[in-house]
Amino acid sequence: MANFEKTFIMIKPDAVRDRKSGLIIDRIERCGLTIERMEKCELNTELVEQHYAHLADKPFFGDLVSFMTSGPVIKMIVSGLDAVAKMRTLMGATNPLDAAPGTIRGDFAHDVNENVIHGSDCLDNAQIEIERFFGQA
Ligand code: IDP
Ligand code: MG
């Protein structure tokens, strides 16, 4: 049975810089999901390090933090039936080389670090990330 869910989505600095935000938002709405909240903002290093803490021991962590603080992002709360899994499917694989054509990363991303979009990977993390980026709703 499908459940109504909210998930945390972020259009990353590469896509904002390349003016792909509108195309990406269009894809989210086309599959029946709703943008509940949306704001353009710049992230500080501390917030990015917290958000990606599970990757702190990876060799690319420094590049990831630099990239995510390199320019504005557009953060969103997206809702709908099975919104968490639906957004992960719509986004495609983390590495654009593996992301299927027709997915957001498959069509817009060219680099495993600069890969256009973030989406929560499970319902528990969606709640944590919504609170981290938007505060208590
Ligand atoms: P996800 O964004 O698909 O959930 P995660 O494994 O949570 O993937 O990684 C978070 C982010 O870290 C990725 O979206 C990407 O920006 C970056 N990243 C992941 N793996 C690599 C890598 O092997 N090289 C460079 N950057 C990576
Ligand atoms: Mg992840």
Side-chain angles (χ1 to χ4, degrees):
M1 202 183 78
N3 293 307
F4 180 83
E5 297 173 348
K6 291 183 181 180
T7 187
F8 176 70
I9 300 298
M10 188 157 51
I11 301 176
K12 295 185 176 182
D14 53 337
V16 175
R17 190 182 306 124
D18 293 344
R19 299 186 173 83
K20 302 297 184 199
S21 312
L23 293 171
I24 292 169
I25 292 164
D26 180 58
R27 289 184 180 211
I28 295 171
E29 291 193 321
R30 270 172 197 253
C31 68
L33 295 169
T34 300
I35 314 287
E36 298 280 353
R37 302 267 304 265
M38 178 162 68
E39 187 182 333
K40 186 178 185 181
C41 61
E42 298 207 17
L43 304 179
N44 63 45
T45 300
E46 193 186 357
L47 186 62
V48 173
E49 286 179 348
Q50 188 185 32
H51 179 61
Y52 285 125
H54 58 292
L55 300 172
D57 60 347
K58 301 286 187 195
F60 57 81
F61 187 66
D63 287 343
L64 177 59
V65 175
S66 299
F67 165 55
M68 291 301 295
T69 55
S70 67
V73 301
I74 296 176
K75 62 180 184 177
M76 290 181 259
I77 300 174
V78 171
S79 73
L81 292 178
D82 290 344
V84 174
K86 202 163 189 178
M87 276 304 311
R88 293 292 296 194
T89 302
L90 188 63
M91 286 161 52
T94 305
N95 188 337
L97 290 176
D98 302 325
T103 63
I104 292 170
R105 284 168 169 166
D107 291 350
F108 297 114
H110 307 289
D111 184 283
V112 64
N113 183 20
E114 305 201 4
N115 63 359
V116 167
I117 188 165
H118 166 81
S120 307
D121 60 6
C122 66
L123 197 54
D124 285 348
N125 281 338
Q127 188 56 38
I128 290 168
E129 292 174 0
I130 285 170
E131 283 177 21
R132 176 177 296 141
F133 286 89
F134 283 96
Q136 298 278 354

